[in-house]
Amino acid sequence: MLELRNVCKKFDNKIVLDNMNLEIRNGEIVSMLGPSGSGKSTLLNIILGLIPMDSGQLLFEGQDISRVSMKDRGFNIVFQDYALFPNLNAYGNIAYGLKNQTRGFSKAELEELIDFLELRPHLSKRIDQLSGGQKQRVALARTLATKPKILLLDEPLSALDGVIKETIKTRIKAIAARYNLTTIIVTHDPEEALTMSNRVLIIDQGHISQYGTPAQVIHTPANPFVEQFILKQLEIKRDNIYHLFQKCHA
Ligand SMILES: Nc1ncnc2c1ncn2[C@@H]1O[C@H](COP(=O)(O)OP(=O)(O)OP(=O)(O)O)[C@@H](O)[C@H]1O
Ligand SMILES: [Mg+2]
């Protein structure tokens, strides 16, 4: 279990995370959902160990990891822009994290992961020869191969469209189940959050607005913010889809 206790963070005297308390169970998929600037990426980077918090505690399996380095925490992230190495081909990227690592995938596990993500036909391609969805899978494979204790995904679907989005969504869920991997996904899209995760954390200006299952969020929104942000956005989307549908069939 990952626990955040009274986590606070300021940037330039502006409170970005205000006394956050949170528990994430092993094997759970949690989405962090909130408007732009609400503190989602900051929270993800604090969990990863990339940026320090000002005060509070982070516990993993009951151990205080607040001062443990990013490397020793053993979590790993897929950044929004994937951050692939352009000088290495797809395979070079996937295997990169295994250099000088003791806990990463074995050769056999890596081969299995490559097949699981259907990357075998693309292994020798340069990064600029890959489609968006293929890049996403290479980035996922590179991160998964390091056997992260927690998988962090910052807006994993935002650069993808339609069908590919659905495929990657299904794959992320399958990966979490297959490797019993605690997965934290940052998104600003309620539909993504509600369809991908066991629990949704709704953040508003550095505060937790609600933390619950998708059903709880939909049926019992904790406050007007949740209602407005989540449900109105979904309605807008539904309206858009409806209008689009009408247009197509006019
Ligand atoms: N390194 C930094 N220095 C100063 N301010 C920062 C820094 N990083 C983030 N902030 C500020 O902290 C707040 C939260 O930023 P954060 O990136 O966590 O938001 P977010 O919820 O991920 O937004 P988005 O959906 O746009 O990615 C914003 O007001 C942002 O301007
Ligand atoms: Mg962000």
Side-chain angles (χ1 to χ4, degrees), residues 2-249:
L2 179 74
E3 279 177 82
L4 275 73
R5 291 191 189 158
N6 307 315
V7 169
C8 295
K9 180 71 185 174
K10 280 185 192 170
F11 280 122
D12 311 323
N13 278 328
K14 181 178 168 280
I15 296 172
V16 174
L17 297 177
D18 190 8
N19 216 33
M20 284 237 171
N21 287 286
L22 181 67
E23 288 182 7
I24 297 176
R25 299 183 204 116
N26 289 346
E28 193 170 35
I29 303 184
V30 168
S31 284
M32 294 178 172
L33 176 66
S36 184
S38 55
K40 306 181 296 293
S41 295
T42 304
L43 187 54
L44 206 66
N45 287 326
I46 285 176
I47 293 171
L48 178 68
L50 191 64
I51 57 173
M53 53 196 165
D54 296 339
S55 59
Q57 262 186 322
L58 212 62
L59 288 97
F60 183 61
E61 313 293 34
Q63 305 277 325
D64 188 344
I65 56 160
S66 311
R67 273 164 212 84
V68 173
S69 72
M70 177 164 69
K71 187 169 174 290
D72 291 336
R73 282 182 198 189
F75 307 159
N76 208 346
I77 190 165
V78 177
F79 290 106
Q80 183 169 356
D81 60 1
Y82 313 141
L84 293 169
F85 306 118
N87 54 325
L88 298 175
N89 66 12
Y91 184 80
N93 269 276
I94 297 167
Y96 181 84
L98 298 180
K99 282 186 200 159
N100 319 315
Q101 273 255 355
T102 43
R103 61 170 267 119
F105 272 23
S106 67
K107 179 91 177 107
E109 285 171 320
L110 192 68
E111 292 299 311
E112 198 216 29
L113 177 67
I114 286 166
D115 286 326
F116 183 67
L117 290 174
E118 293 171 41
L119 282 168
R120 190 153 309 277
H122 310 297
L123 290 179
S124 58
K125 288 186 184 166
R126 287 196 318 263
I127 298 310
D128 63 359
Q129 294 170 318
L130 298 171
S131 71
Q134 290 160 359
K135 279 185 203 158
Q136 166 67 288
R137 280 181 280 148
V138 169
L140 258 177
R142 182 179 66 178
T143 299
L144 285 169
T146 65
K147 272 196 188 160
K149 293 178 192 160
I150 297 183
L151 173 65
L152 306 165
L153 304 169
D154 199 349
E155 301 271 3
L157 304 174
S158 62
L160 307 173
D161 54 16
V163 181
I164 298 176
K165 214 176 207 172
E166 285 307 312
T167 317
I168 299 275
K169 235 187 205 179
T170 313
R171 231 176 226 125
I172 290 171
K173 283 201 262 189
I175 286 166
R178 175 164 182 62
Y179 298 103
N180 187 34
L181 189 57
T182 310
T183 304
I184 306 175
I185 304 170
V186 158
T187 176
H188 60 264
D189 182 345
E191 195 189 344
E192 258 171 52
L194 294 168
T195 53
M196 286 188 74
S197 25
N198 303 110
R199 287 200 282 176
V200 181
L201 177 84
I202 296 159
I203 307 180
D204 177 24
Q205 297 179 42
H207 293 273
I208 295 176
S209 218
Q210 185 167 5
Y211 187 32
T213 63
Q216 284 168 338
V217 169
I218 291 172
H219 298 301
T220 50
N223 50 54
F225 174 79
V226 174
E227 208 161 340
Q228 289 294 322
F229 180 69
I230 309 290
L231 304 180
K232 285 282 182 297
Q233 274 212 62
L234 285 178
E235 268 169 35
I236 290 167
K237 221 170 179 173
R238 225 172 285 146
D239 275 2
N240 284 343
I241 292 166
Y242 179 70
H243 287 311
L244 221 85
F245 186 80
Q246 279 196 321
K247 242 193 248 166
C248 292
H249 291 81

